[in-house]
Amino acid sequence: MKILCSIFVTCAVVYIGLLLFAFLFSEKLIFPTPKSTYEKIDGIKMLPLNDGRKIATLFFENKKSKICVIYSHGNGEDLGKIYELMQQYRDKLNVNVFVYDYCGYGISEGKMSEPDLIECANVMYNYATTTLGFKPEDMFFAGYSLGSYPTAYLASKHSNAKGALLVGGVSRAIKTMLPYDIVPWKILHTVEYVSKTEIPILFFHGTRDKTVHIRNGYENLSVAKKGRLVKFKDYGHYPLFESQQYWSELKRFINEL
């Protein structure tokens, strides 16, 4: 009996320690705010958030297309790092692309938090559909890794949009590391937004992804009303876009929409 009690107490202490660690350090792990890879890029426009902070945005125009993709990047990236990828989006997919840096990333101001992801996404959508003049039905949302969270949010809120793409997407932040969500509060519960989404969602995931385990892709797919998962054999978390499969599957998906 004493042995069982000791085991129970040890497990309880470990669990409480894990919860304390998650509470104190989860935001620092999720938003590492890497050093900016750029100082200035032609065409950058700073858009204000509600509290006055400004985020850096770039618009890659394609006058031949009515479609606008709002792209949300991963947590180790900024506009400088994804600049060439966004050019490929514009040229290979024949779309307009509107992309941004989160607070604290690149030259965007302030520090990042989970609620800020939602506010940044709202600012981007509102600017795209008002100032840039794109119709809601011509909007498409794409996100990589951390960017899957604001992407799924936008997809859940705008049922008249064309569709969405989640690449290496998180289902729940804890499940990037563990098979089960052991935290009693929500940390990046992308899966909830996916479950509320009416528009088609395409999921891309590497079969050897050790950063965001493919179980996240399966969980998101399991609750999607209109979802399809494309598995990239022998690929990890990055860079799926170097595969021809990435572009052929995405182009077909957008064309079908």
Side-chain angles (χ1 to χ4, degrees), residues 2-128:
K2 289 183 178 179
I3 295 176
L4 289 176
C5 289
S6 297
I7 293 174
F8 176 79
V9 170
T10 300
C11 290
V13 170
V14 171
Y15 179 62
I16 292 171
L18 288 173
L19 292 183
L20 183 61
F21 178 83
F23 180 77
L24 294 175
F25 300 107
S26 60
E27 282 200 352
K28 290 183 179 180
L29 293 174
I30 295 170
F31 309 114
T33 56
K35 185 178 179 180
S36 178
T37 63
Y38 67 97
E39 293 182 0
K40 182 180 180 181
I41 299 176
D42 289 342
I44 280 185
K45 183 172 182 60
M46 304 297 290
L47 297 183
L49 303 182
N50 290 332
D51 62 3
R53 288 175 299 169
K54 294 182 179 180
I55 58 172
T57 71
L58 268 176
F59 178 53
F60 294 78
E61 186 176 15
N62 186 330
K63 294 182 178 180
K64 297 179 180 179
S65 176
K66 295 181 179 180
I67 298 173
C68 180
V69 175
I70 292 180
Y71 186 93
S72 302
H73 62 64
N75 67 1
E77 301 177 314
D78 63 16
L79 294 181
K81 190 169 183 177
I82 65 169
Y83 189 90
E84 291 185 4
L85 176 60
M86 295 301 97
Q87 288 180 317
Q88 292 183 67
Y89 258 72
R90 178 193 60 197
D91 300 337
K92 290 185 177 183
L93 302 176
N94 190 33
V95 295
N96 297 276
V97 185
F98 194 30
V99 63
Y100 63 109
D101 268 336
Y102 312 123
C103 296
Y105 288 67
I107 61 172
S108 291
E109 299 171 351
K111 294 183 179 180
M112 198 59 191
S113 69
E114 189 169 321
D116 287 332
L117 281 174
I118 301 303
E119 186 178 355
C120 288
N122 283 329
V123 166
M124 292 291 289
Y125 180 85
N126 292 336
Y127 190 86

Side-chain angles (χ1 to χ4, degrees), residues 125 134-140 160-162:
Y125 180 85
F134 290 99
K135 296 179 180 179
E137 59 267 28
D138 290 330
M139 298 301 299
F140 185 92
N160 52 353
K162 280 195 173 297

Side-chain angles (χ1 to χ4, degrees), residues 118 122 125 141 150-161 193 196-199:
I118 301 303
N122 283 329
Y125 180 85
F141 313 119
T151 296
Y153 164 78
L154 287 174
S156 71
K157 294 298 180 181
H158 303 288
S159 59
N160 52 353
Y193 290 130
K196 298 174 183 177
T197 298
E198 301 293 334
I199 62 176

Side-chain angles (χ1 to χ4, degrees), residues 172 190-197 203 217-227:
R172 310 163 194 252
T190 305
V191 66
E192 289 193 8
Y193 290 130
V194 171
S195 69
K196 298 174 183 177
T197 298
F203 303 98
Y218 288 132
E219 182 174 14
N220 283 329
L221 178 67
S222 70
V223 301
K225 297 174 182 177
K226 300 176 183 178

